[in-house]
Amino acid sequence: MSSVEERGERGARAPLYGARTWRAVAHLLSNLPVGIVGFVFTVTAIAVGVSTAVTVVGLPLLAAGLTGCRAFGSFERRRARVLLGEEIPDPPPERRREQREPTFMRWLAVALGDGLSWRTAMYLVLMLPWSVITFSVTLVSVIALWPLMPWIVRALATVHRAMAAAMLAPSDLEARVEELEDDRSTVVDSAAADLRRIERDLHDGAQARLVSLAMDLGLAKEKLLEGGGDPAAAAAMVDAAHGEAKLALQELRDLARGIHPAVLTDRGLDAALSSVAARCAVPDGVRVTTDLPEGADQASRPDSAVEGIAYFTVSELLTNVAKHAEARSAQVDAWRKEDRLLVQVRDDGRGGARETPGGGLAGLAERIRAVDGVFVVDSPYGGPTTVTVELPWRTRGTRTRGTRSGR
């Protein structure tokens, strides 16, 4: 049942002269002082800001006025919630990018470009004539139209609810913009963390081994070229250098696999998941079941970015299973459902996995939700643990090709 229907049923059951009616009366009568204050503030702030826009102080004054209107809107949402029972969602804080880079010009741009502030300003301007109407009609109905008062008051309150909900609630587009800005920040931070990890792995791993390799080869060269020579010692140093070269090559392969494995590009997600499952150190192994296109046919496969996110998500989840879950076995399922890619990882471990701020699961969830994905963890204490991931088959800006299949 919708909230509107629920309100209608509550209204039908509520006493005509009960608390709900009197709260509406209080709201409609208080509209007049609120409307006067809001109208004077808004008209004055906008008039002064616009008239002085050609000067240095004009735009800052206009931005400050709009910020004040936004604060006034917050007060009006609370008033509607308390007296009318109308739950108008609060907007997110003004553009988090301003909080990350709190410069004056950024604050100015954010304040002047905030659609909710401008809609609130329009609401406060319209409130003056509407408040005069609601105050007058409500006062007359309470004094002279007592038998009809409940219906009149509730009708006026219904109109006010609709006006407040339409003009004081954040729009879907604004909410989406805020979400995308948060997602962009998450992606940028994740990319920076990945670059730092690659740099650290190269510095501490392959680079250090290559330096050791160069030193060993240099010493072997000296042994061969010095007077009399020492072939046996040179051979031992070359053998040690050969071992270092093989270890460096293996580390570079592991690093390349961590960036984007060749099997994922060449053979698709099915083969890549089987490959990562085979490397998971779980006693009874990992079973992989997929219903996905195979091979190099890019037209029928998920978007490459989606494949990469799915692969690295499963890889990290299986690493967690092997290290922390105390599991005997695990299961990976992947399939397509309409225009979504679904991946599920289950294990028979001890359970208790949670998304904690700064934790590994929280980082995975942020990456997945950054591309309009869904990340759900079901892990009661004692197990089993099931992690379900849902991703778009194609990211925005790519064209969906091929046939659709379900499972």
Side-chain angles (χ1 to χ4, degrees):
M1 182 180 293
S2 69
S3 59
V4 175
E5 292 172 339
E6 290 175 354
R7 281 202 302 265
E9 288 194 4
R10 288 199 303 268
R13 293 193 298 265
L16 289 178
Y17 295 91
R20 179 170 175 265
T21 299
W22 290 110
R23 285 197 300 270
V25 168
H27 188 277
L28 295 171
L29 292 178
S30 64
N31 274 353
L32 185 59
V34 172
I36 293 173
V37 173
F39 180 87
V40 171
F41 172 82
T42 303
V43 171
T44 302
I46 293 179
V48 172
V50 171
S51 61
T52 59
V54 295
T55 67
V56 175
V57 299
L59 291 180
L61 286 176
L62 181 58
L66 290 171
T67 302
C69 289
R70 188 183 175 98
F72 216 114
S74 179
F75 168 77
E76 279 295 274
R77 282 188 294 273
R78 287 196 296 270
R79 193 168 70 98
R81 188 178 301 124
V82 172
L83 296 178
L84 297 181
E86 180 68 19
E87 290 292 337
I88 303 175
D90 291 320
E94 280 187 291
R95 301 289 173 84
R96 295 176 179 85
R97 64 185 180 186
E98 176 195 344
Q99 298 174 5
R100 292 194 299 268
E101 302 177 30
T103 64
F104 173 76
M105 293 305 297
R106 188 168 295 281
W107 168 81
L108 187 64
V110 168
L112 294 177
D114 184 42
L116 180 60
S117 297
W118 286 103
R119 289 203 310 277
T120 304
M122 185 180 298
Y123 168 87
L124 294 174
V125 170
L126 295 177
M127 265 291 290
L128 181 60
W130 173 245
S131 66
V132 172
I133 295 173
T134 57
F135 180 88
S136 304
V137 174
T138 302
L139 189 61
V140 170
S141 66
V142 170
I143 296 174
L145 301 174
W146 181 259
L148 300 178
M149 186 269 291
W151 288 279
I152 295 174
V153 166
R154 292 184 183 184
L156 292 173
T158 299
V159 175
H160 191 98
R161 283 193 194 96
M163 182 174 72
M167 304 185 74
L168 298 180
S171 68
D172 292 340
L173 179 59
E174 289 169 336
R176 180 59 179 160
V177 168
E178 295 287 346
E179 180 183 351
L180 289 175
E181 287 183 348
D182 284 348
D183 291 344
R184 182 183 63 182
S185 174
T186 299
V187 171
V188 170
D189 293 343
S190 298
D194 287 340
L195 288 175
R196 288 193 297 271
R197 176 184 60 82
I198 293 170
E199 180 183 13
R200 183 177 62 252
D201 291 345
L202 284 172
H203 181 271
D204 297 340
Q207 179 177 325
R209 294 197 180 277
L210 290 173
V211 170
S212 177
L213 169 62
M215 292 177 63
D216 288 344
L217 290 175
L219 291 174
K221 180 181 177 181
E222 290 180 3
K223 289 290 184 182
L224 289 174
L225 295 180
E226 67 184 5
D230 190 351
M237 291 178 181
V238 170
D239 185 64
H242 181 243
E244 290 289 337
K246 289 194 294 185
L247 289 173
L249 181 60
Q250 182 60 43
E251 289 183 354
L252 287 173
R253 285 173 177 169
D254 292 341
L255 183 61
R257 186 184 296 116
I259 297 173
H260 197 83
V263 65
L264 181 60
T265 302
D266 297 337
R267 299 174 56 194
L269 189 58
D270 187 355
L273 293 182
S274 297
S275 175
V276 74
R279 299 194 303 270
C280 182
V282 175
D284 294 340
V286 180
R287 183 185 175 195
V288 178
T289 302
T290 63
D291 183 13
L292 298 171
E294 299 182 7
D297 182 10
Q298 296 289 342
S300 61
R301 285 166 48 180
D303 186 66
S304 59
V306 172
E307 282 189 331
I309 292 173
Y311 171 83
F312 289 115
T313 299
V314 172
S315 179
E316 187 159 343
L317 289 174
L318 290 180
T319 299
N320 290 343
V321 170
K323 289 183 177 179
H324 309 298
E326 300 176 6
R328 296 289 306 174
S329 63
Q331 169 81 30
V332 177
D333 297 304
W335 69 97
R336 180 177 184 173
K337 183 177 181 182
E338 297 180 350
D339 60 347
R340 308 288 284 182
L341 170 64
L342 280 81
V343 178
Q344 197 169 73
V345 179
R346 298 192 298 273
D347 69 75
D348 58 0
R350 58 188 175 89
R354 296 289 183 271
E355 279 187 53
T356 56
L361 291 180
L364 287 177
E366 288 179 352
R367 289 192 180 191
I368 290 164
R369 290 164 186 158
V371 292
D372 286 339
V374 177
F375 185 84
V376 179
V377 179
D378 180 15
S379 183
Y381 288 101
T385 295
T386 302
V387 179
T388 303
V389 175
E390 182 178 328
L391 293 164
W393 191 261
R394 297 279 169 183
T395 56
R396 283 183 173 83
T398 61
R399 183 179 59 183
T400 302
R401 294 171 291 180
T403 58
R404 291 187 175 183
S405 61
R407 177 178 175 180

